[in-house]
Amino acid sequence: MTLSKFLEKSIKGILYATPALLLVFYQETLYPFLTLKTSGLYIFVAIIALLWSALIILKKGEHLPKITKVNGALLLFICIATISGLISETPLRSIWSTPERLTGIVTLWVMFIYSLALSTFIKKEEWKTYLTTAFVTSALVGVSTLVQRISPETFFVKSGSRPGGTLGNPSYLAGYLISYLFLGYALIKNAARGSGVRILLAFSLFFAAFAFFGANTRGAILGLVFAIVYLLIVLAAEQLKDSERRSRYLLIIAGIVLLICGTVYSSADSPVWSKIPGINRVANFSLEDSSVSNRLIEWRLATKGFLEYPAFGVGYENFRIIADSNYDPRLLRGGFSDTYFDKPHNVPLEILSTTGGVGFIAYAFLWILIFSSIRRLPLTKLEKRLSIAAAIAFFIQNCFVFDTFGTHLTFAIAVAVLSAY
């Protein structure tokens, strides 16, 4: 084997191994659900960068990365986030974030390099294998929630709590898994009937779905509902060519969805809903719930923060400055832990308030390119629909939480796929 082949295979090996970092958990670290994952990613990407540089020199520029519209838009946003952070009041927080988050500018650049390496070294015919590996990893993360149910002390939770598995927090888990539900279904449809691979994928989808609904996260469930409604509407539009029949069918779908939502909400106190994961928390939705009312307060503060810092925001990862300077005493109703809001639990609003109008426009432009690029992928009609549904679900759930290691990695992989094609 030549040196160049060895370097290329080594890079590919690390690229394939990286999703497995989501399974890493060690109780003896300061933040056992995060520290080793993020540190491992930094190390992996540093090694990739060194090997990649050597390969470029050896092959005289043959493996230079290609900037496409999609990863170029991501690069633009990261550059704006970097500028906003460096000119902020606390640039170090922007650069590194806080120890319990580790989602600062450094992580953004590391994720971008990983995405760039994926789109450069994973050939088109290899993407199915890579995505299968990533999907099976998501299923193993789902299996970790079973371990948590059997032995809750393994992951520092009380018996009966919503499981978060190796990601710790159920909201982080659901946000990470939601896209893989659609990917898993697409992979199963592509696998040969009765094959061992299809059986493995089916089991994997079961464990991923089991963990997703067990996490019982309202924002993620809402994202899934939006995605399913989109698929139903598209299916109706495709099957019914007659415009009058199509309109009638779409109205029926909308009526059924509204009827189901109305039934669940009007009978929220029924013991039936309390036994169904996913629906029980949606049925008990109330504006008086501290997790809901506090979010609404923080969303209002995020909007106010944007008006105070309209151009480049208060600085990437610096929402805490807005939350502290505009503190609302009502946050104390849920206890002292609820007064610590360094995130508004809404990614678009966080981008708006921390990177300003400039960063928000770049972020919106990136998402527009993502949806338009999916339509041009060399996929079957079903696969395109599932890809768009996955993007919708991911975006909607991000409107109720914030980015984490899992969602960052998923997003990096998605950008790499679009850039590769």
Side-chain angles (χ1 to χ4, degrees), residues 184-244:
Y185 182 75
L187 291 172
I188 290 171
K189 291 290 289 184
N190 267 327
R193 291 181 179 273
S195 65
V197 172
R198 191 169 197 178
I199 294 172
L200 171 64
L201 291 172
F203 272 106
S204 297
L205 182 58
F206 169 79
F207 285 118
F210 175 83
F212 175 83
F213 287 105
N216 211 356
T217 303
R218 283 180 290 212
I221 292 169
L222 186 62
L224 183 64
V225 169
F226 267 81
I228 291 174
V229 169
Y230 159 77
L231 289 173
L232 289 174
I233 291 174
V234 168
L235 179 64
E238 288 179 350
Q239 295 298 320
L240 301 173
K241 303 299 183 183
D242 181 78
S243 59
E244 184 177 343

Coordinates of all heavy atoms in Angstrom, one line a residue, residues 184-244:
G184 N -33.6 6.0 8.6 CA -33.8 4.6 8.8 C -34.8 4.0 7.9 O -34.6 2.9 7.3
Y185 N -36.0 4.7 7.8 CA -37.0 4.2 6.9 C -36.6 4.1 5.5 O -36.9 3.2 4.7 CB -38.3 5.1 7.1 CG -39.4 4.6 6.2 CD1 -40.2 3.5 6.6 CD2 -39.8 5.2 5.0 CE1 -41.3 3.0 5.8 CE2 -40.9 4.8 4.3 CZ -41.6 3.7 4.7 OH -42.6 3.3 3.9
A186 N -35.9 5.2 5.0 CA -35.4 5.2 3.7 C -34.4 4.1 3.4 O -34.4 3.4 2.3 CB -34.7 6.6 3.4
L187 N -33.5 3.8 4.4 CA -32.5 2.7 4.2 C -33.2 1.4 4.1 O -32.8 0.5 3.4 CB -31.5 2.8 5.4 CG -30.5 4.0 5.4 CD1 -29.7 4.0 6.7 CD2 -29.6 3.9 4.2
I188 N -34.2 1.2 4.9 CA -35.0 -0.1 4.9 C -35.7 -0.3 3.6 O -35.6 -1.4 3.0 CB -36.0 -0.1 6.1 CG1 -35.3 -0.2 7.4 CG2 -37.0 -1.3 5.9 CD1 -36.2 0.0 8.6
K189 N -36.3 0.8 3.0 CA -36.9 0.7 1.8 C -35.9 0.3 0.6 O -36.3 -0.4 -0.3 CB -37.6 2.0 1.4 CG -38.8 2.3 2.3 CD -40.0 1.4 2.0 CE -40.6 1.7 0.7 NZ -41.9 0.9 0.5
N190 N -34.7 0.7 0.8 CA -33.7 0.4 -0.2 C -33.0 -0.9 -0.1 O -32.5 -1.5 -1.0 CB -32.6 1.5 -0.2 CG -32.8 2.6 -1.1 OD1 -33.4 2.4 -2.2 ND2 -32.5 3.8 -0.7
A191 N -33.1 -1.5 1.1 CA -32.5 -2.8 1.4 C -33.3 -3.9 0.7 O -34.5 -3.8 0.6 CB -32.3 -3.1 2.9
A192 N -32.6 -5.0 0.3 CA -33.3 -6.1 -0.3 C -34.2 -6.8 0.7 O -33.9 -7.0 1.9 CB -32.2 -7.1 -0.8
R193 N -35.4 -7.2 0.2 CA -36.3 -7.9 1.1 C -35.8 -9.2 1.7 O -35.2 -10.0 0.9 CB -37.6 -8.2 0.3 CG -38.4 -7.0 -0.1 CD -39.7 -7.4 -0.9 NE -40.5 -6.2 -1.2 CZ -41.4 -5.6 -0.4 NH1 -41.6 -6.2 0.8 NH2 -42.0 -4.6 -0.8
G194 N -36.0 -9.4 3.0 CA -35.6 -10.6 3.6 C -34.1 -10.7 3.9 O -33.6 -11.7 4.4
S195 N -33.3 -9.7 3.5 CA -31.9 -9.7 3.7 C -31.5 -9.4 5.2 O -32.3 -8.8 5.9 CB -31.1 -8.7 2.8 OG -31.5 -7.4 3.2
G196 N -30.3 -9.9 5.6 CA -29.9 -9.6 7.0 C -29.7 -8.2 7.2 O -30.0 -7.7 8.4
V197 N -29.3 -7.4 6.2 CA -29.1 -5.9 6.4 C -30.5 -5.3 6.7 O -30.6 -4.4 7.6 CB -28.5 -5.3 5.1 CG1 -28.5 -3.8 5.2 CG2 -27.1 -5.8 4.9
R198 N -31.5 -5.7 6.0 CA -32.8 -5.1 6.2 C -33.4 -5.4 7.6 O -34.0 -4.6 8.2 CB -33.8 -5.6 5.1 CG -35.1 -4.8 5.1 CD -36.0 -5.1 3.9 NE -37.0 -4.1 3.7 CZ -37.9 -4.1 2.8 NH1 -37.8 -5.1 1.8 NH2 -38.8 -3.2 2.7
I199 N -33.1 -6.7 8.0 CA -33.6 -7.0 9.4 C -32.8 -6.2 10.4 O -33.4 -5.7 11.4 CB -33.3 -8.6 9.6 CG1 -34.2 -9.4 8.7 CG2 -33.6 -8.9 11.1 CD1 -33.9 -10.8 8.7
L200 N -31.5 -6.0 10.2 CA -30.7 -5.2 11.2 C -31.2 -3.8 11.2 O -31.4 -3.2 12.3 CB -29.3 -5.2 10.7 CG -28.3 -4.3 11.5 CD1 -28.2 -4.6 13.0 CD2 -26.9 -4.3 10.8
L201 N -31.5 -3.2 10.0 CA -32.0 -1.9 9.9 C -33.4 -1.7 10.6 O -33.7 -0.7 11.2 CB -32.1 -1.4 8.5 CG -30.8 -1.2 7.7 CD1 -31.0 -1.0 6.3 CD2 -30.0 -0.1 8.3
A202 N -34.2 -2.7 10.4 CA -35.6 -2.7 11.0 C -35.5 -2.7 12.6 O -36.2 -1.9 13.2 CB -36.4 -3.9 10.6
F203 N -34.6 -3.5 13.1 CA -34.4 -3.6 14.6 C -33.8 -2.2 15.0 O -34.2 -1.7 16.1 CB -33.4 -4.7 14.9 CG -34.1 -6.0 15.2 CD1 -34.0 -7.0 14.3 CD2 -34.9 -6.2 16.4 CE1 -34.7 -8.2 14.5 CE2 -35.5 -7.4 16.6 CZ -35.4 -8.4 15.7
S204 N -32.9 -1.7 14.2 CA -32.3 -0.4 14.6 C -33.3 0.7 14.6 O -33.3 1.6 15.5 CB -31.2 0.0 13.5 OG -30.1 -1.0 13.6
L205 N -34.2 0.7 13.6 CA -35.3 1.7 13.6 C -36.2 1.6 14.8 O -36.6 2.6 15.4 CB -36.1 1.6 12.3 CG -37.2 2.7 12.1 CD1 -36.6 4.1 12.1 CD2 -38.0 2.4 10.8
F206 N -36.5 0.3 15.2 CA -37.3 0.1 16.4 C -36.7 0.7 17.6 O -37.4 1.4 18.4 CB -37.5 -1.4 16.6 CG -38.2 -1.7 17.9 CD1 -39.5 -1.6 18.1 CD2 -37.4 -2.2 19.0 CE1 -40.1 -1.9 19.4 CE2 -37.9 -2.4 20.2 CZ -39.3 -2.3 20.4
F207 N -35.4 0.5 17.8 CA -34.7 1.0 19.0 C -34.6 2.5 19.0 O -34.8 3.2 20.0 CB -33.3 0.4 19.2 CG -33.4 -1.0 19.7 CD1 -32.8 -2.1 18.9 CD2 -33.9 -1.4 20.9 CE1 -32.9 -3.4 19.3 CE2 -33.9 -2.7 21.3 CZ -33.4 -3.7 20.5
A208 N -34.4 3.1 17.8 CA -34.3 4.5 17.7 C -35.7 5.2 18.0 O -35.7 6.2 18.7 CB -33.8 4.9 16.3
A209 N -36.7 4.6 17.4 CA -38.1 5.1 17.7 C -38.5 4.9 19.1 O -39.1 5.8 19.7 CB -39.1 4.4 16.7
F210 N -38.1 3.8 19.7 CA -38.4 3.5 21.1 C -37.8 4.6 22.0 O -38.4 5.1 22.9 CB -37.9 2.1 21.5 CG -38.1 1.8 23.0 CD1 -39.3 1.3 23.5 CD2 -37.0 2.0 23.8 CE1 -39.4 1.0 24.8 CE2 -37.1 1.7 25.2 CZ -38.3 1.2 25.7
A211 N -36.5 4.9 21.7 CA -35.8 5.9 22.5 C -36.4 7.3 22.3 O -36.5 8.1 23.2 CB -34.3 5.9 22.2
F212 N -36.8 7.6 21.0 CA -37.3 8.9 20.7 C -38.6 9.2 21.4 O -38.8 10.2 22.1 CB -37.6 9.0 19.2 CG -38.2 10.3 18.7 CD1 -37.5 11.4 18.6 CD2 -39.6 10.3 18.6 CE1 -38.1 12.6 18.2 CE2 -40.2 11.5 18.2 CZ -39.5 12.6 18.0
F213 N -39.5 8.2 21.4 CA -40.8 8.4 22.1 C -40.7 8.3 23.6 O -41.4 9.0 24.3 CB -41.9 7.5 21.5 CG -42.4 7.8 20.2 CD1 -41.9 7.0 19.1 CD2 -43.2 8.8 19.9 CE1 -42.4 7.3 17.8 CE2 -43.6 9.2 18.7 CZ -43.2 8.4 17.6
G214 N -39.7 7.5 24.0 CA -39.4 7.4 25.5 C -38.9 8.7 26.0 O -39.2 9.1 27.2
A215 N -38.2 9.5 25.2 CA -37.6 10.8 25.6 C -38.8 11.8 25.9 O -38.6 12.7 26.7 CB -36.7 11.4 24.6
N216 N -39.9 11.6 25.2 CA -41.1 12.3 25.5 C -40.9 13.9 25.5 O -41.3 14.6 26.4 CB -41.6 11.9 26.9 CG -43.1 12.0 27.0 OD1 -43.8 12.4 26.1 ND2 -43.7 11.5 28.1
T217 N -40.3 14.3 24.4 CA -40.0 15.8 24.3 C -41.0 16.4 23.4 O -41.1 16.1 22.2 CB -38.5 15.9 23.7 OG1 -37.6 15.2 24.6 CG2 -38.1 17.4 23.6
R218 N -41.7 17.5 23.9 CA -42.8 18.1 23.1 C -42.3 18.7 21.8 O -43.0 18.6 20.8 CB -43.5 19.1 24.0 CG -44.4 18.4 25.0 CD -45.1 19.4 25.9 NE -44.2 20.1 26.8 CZ -44.5 20.5 28.1 NH1 -45.8 20.3 28.5 NH2 -43.6 21.1 28.8
G219 N -41.2 19.5 21.9 CA -40.7 20.1 20.7 C -40.4 19.2 19.6 O -40.7 19.4 18.4
A220 N -39.7 18.1 19.9 CA -39.4 17.1 18.9 C -40.6 16.4 18.4 O -40.7 16.1 17.2 CB -38.4 16.0 19.5
I221 N -41.6 16.1 19.2 CA -42.8 15.5 18.8 C -43.6 16.4 17.8 O -44.1 16.0 16.8 CB -43.7 15.1 20.0 CG1 -43.1 14.0 20.8 CG2 -45.1 14.7 19.6 CD1 -43.7 13.7 22.1
L222 N -43.6 17.7 18.1 CA -44.2 18.6 17.2 C -43.5 18.7 15.9 O -44.2 18.7 14.8 CB -44.2 20.0 17.9 CG -44.9 21.1 17.1 CD1 -46.4 20.8 17.0 CD2 -44.7 22.5 17.8
G223 N -42.2 18.6 15.9 CA -41.4 18.5 14.7 C -41.8 17.3 13.8 O -42.0 17.4 12.6
L224 N -42.0 16.2 14.5 CA -42.4 14.9 13.8 C -43.7 15.1 13.2 O -44.0 14.6 12.1 CB -42.3 13.8 14.8 CG -42.6 12.4 14.3 CD1 -41.6 12.0 13.2 CD2 -42.7 11.3 15.4
V225 N -44.7 15.7 14.0 CA -46.0 15.9 13.5 C -46.0 16.8 12.2 O -46.7 16.4 11.2 CB -46.9 16.5 14.6 CG1 -48.3 17.0 14.0 CG2 -47.1 15.6 15.7
F226 N -45.3 17.9 12.2 CA -45.2 18.7 11.0 C -44.6 17.9 9.8 O -45.1 18.1 8.7 CB -44.2 19.9 11.4 CG -44.9 21.1 11.8 CD1 -45.3 21.2 13.2 CD2 -45.2 22.2 11.0 CE1 -46.0 22.4 13.6 CE2 -45.9 23.3 11.4 CZ -46.3 23.4 12.8
A227 N -43.6 17.1 10.1 CA -43.0 16.3 9.0 C -44.0 15.3 8.4 O -44.1 15.2 7.2 CB -41.8 15.6 9.5
I228 N -44.8 14.7 9.3 CA -45.8 13.7 8.8 C -46.9 14.4 8.1 O -47.3 13.9 7.0 CB -46.3 12.9 10.0 CG1 -45.2 12.0 10.6 CG2 -47.5 12.0 9.6 CD1 -45.6 11.3 11.9
V229 N -47.3 15.5 8.6 CA -48.4 16.3 7.8 C -47.9 16.7 6.5 O -48.6 16.6 5.5 CB -48.8 17.5 8.7 CG1 -49.7 18.4 7.8 CG2 -49.6 17.1 9.9
Y230 N -46.6 17.1 6.4 CA -46.0 17.4 5.1 C -46.1 16.2 4.1 O -46.5 16.4 3.0 CB -44.6 17.9 5.2 CG -43.8 17.8 4.0 CD1 -43.9 18.7 3.0 CD2 -42.9 16.7 3.8 CE1 -43.1 18.6 1.8 CE2 -42.1 16.6 2.6 CZ -42.3 17.5 1.6 OH -41.6 17.4 0.5
L231 N -45.7 15.1 4.6 CA -45.7 13.9 3.8 C -47.1 13.5 3.3 O -47.3 13.1 2.2 CB -45.1 12.7 4.6 CG -43.6 12.8 4.8 CD1 -43.1 11.6 5.7 CD2 -42.8 12.7 3.5
L232 N -48.1 13.7 4.2 CA -49.5 13.4 3.8 C -50.0 14.3 2.8 O -50.6 13.9 1.8 CB -50.4 13.5 5.1 CG -50.2 12.3 6.1 CD1 -51.1 12.6 7.4 CD2 -50.6 11.0 5.5
I233 N -49.6 15.6 2.9 CA -50.1 16.6 1.9 C -49.4 16.3 0.6 O -50.1 16.4 -0.5 CB -49.7 18.0 2.4 CG1 -50.6 18.4 3.6 CG2 -49.9 19.0 1.3 CD1 -50.3 19.7 4.3
V234 N -48.1 16.0 0.6 CA -47.4 15.8 -0.7 C -48.0 14.5 -1.3 O -48.2 14.4 -2.6 CB -45.9 15.6 -0.4 CG1 -45.2 15.0 -1.7 CG2 -45.3 16.9 -0.1
L235 N -48.3 13.5 -0.5 CA -48.8 12.2 -1.0 C -50.2 12.5 -1.7 O -50.5 12.0 -2.8 CB -48.9 11.2 0.1 CG -49.5 9.8 -0.3 CD1 -48.6 9.1 -1.3 CD2 -49.8 9.0 0.9
A236 N -51.0 13.3 -1.0 CA -52.3 13.6 -1.6 C -52.2 14.4 -2.9 O -52.9 14.1 -3.9 CB -53.1 14.4 -0.6
A237 N -51.3 15.3 -2.9 CA -51.1 16.1 -4.1 C -50.6 15.3 -5.3 O -51.0 15.5 -6.4 CB -50.1 17.3 -3.8
E238 N -49.8 14.3 -5.0 CA -49.2 13.5 -6.1 C -50.2 12.5 -6.6 O -50.3 12.2 -7.8 CB -48.0 12.7 -5.6 CG -46.8 13.6 -5.4 CD -45.6 12.9 -4.9 OE1 -45.8 11.7 -4.5 OE2 -44.5 13.4 -4.8
Q239 N -51.0 11.9 -5.7 CA -52.0 10.9 -6.1 C -53.2 11.4 -6.8 O -53.8 10.7 -7.6 CB -52.4 10.1 -4.8 CG -51.3 9.3 -4.2 CD -50.7 8.2 -5.1 OE1 -51.4 7.6 -5.8 NE2 -49.4 8.1 -5.1
L240 N -53.6 12.6 -6.4 CA -54.8 13.2 -6.9 C -54.5 14.3 -7.9 O -54.1 15.4 -7.6 CB -55.7 13.7 -5.8 CG -56.1 12.7 -4.7 CD1 -56.8 13.4 -3.6 CD2 -57.0 11.7 -5.3
K241 N -54.6 14.0 -9.2 CA -54.3 14.9 -10.3 C -55.4 16.0 -10.4 O -55.1 17.1 -10.8 CB -54.1 14.2 -11.6 CG -53.0 13.1 -11.5 CD -51.6 13.7 -11.2 CE -50.6 12.6 -11.2 NZ -49.2 13.1 -10.8
D242 N -56.6 15.6 -10.2 CA -57.7 16.5 -10.3 C -57.7 17.5 -9.2 O -57.7 17.2 -8.0 CB -59.0 15.7 -10.2 CG -60.2 16.6 -10.4 OD1 -60.5 17.0 -11.6 OD2 -60.9 17.0 -9.4
S243 N -57.6 18.8 -9.6 CA -57.5 19.9 -8.6 C -58.6 19.9 -7.6 O -58.4 20.2 -6.4 CB -57.3 21.2 -9.3 OG -58.5 21.5 -10.0
E244 N -59.9 19.7 -8.0 CA -61.0 19.7 -7.1 C -60.9 18.6 -6.0 O -61.1 18.8 -4.8 CB -62.3 19.6 -7.9 CG -63.5 19.8 -7.0 CD -64.8 19.8 -7.8 OE1 -64.7 20.0 -9.0 OE2 -65.9 19.6 -7.2

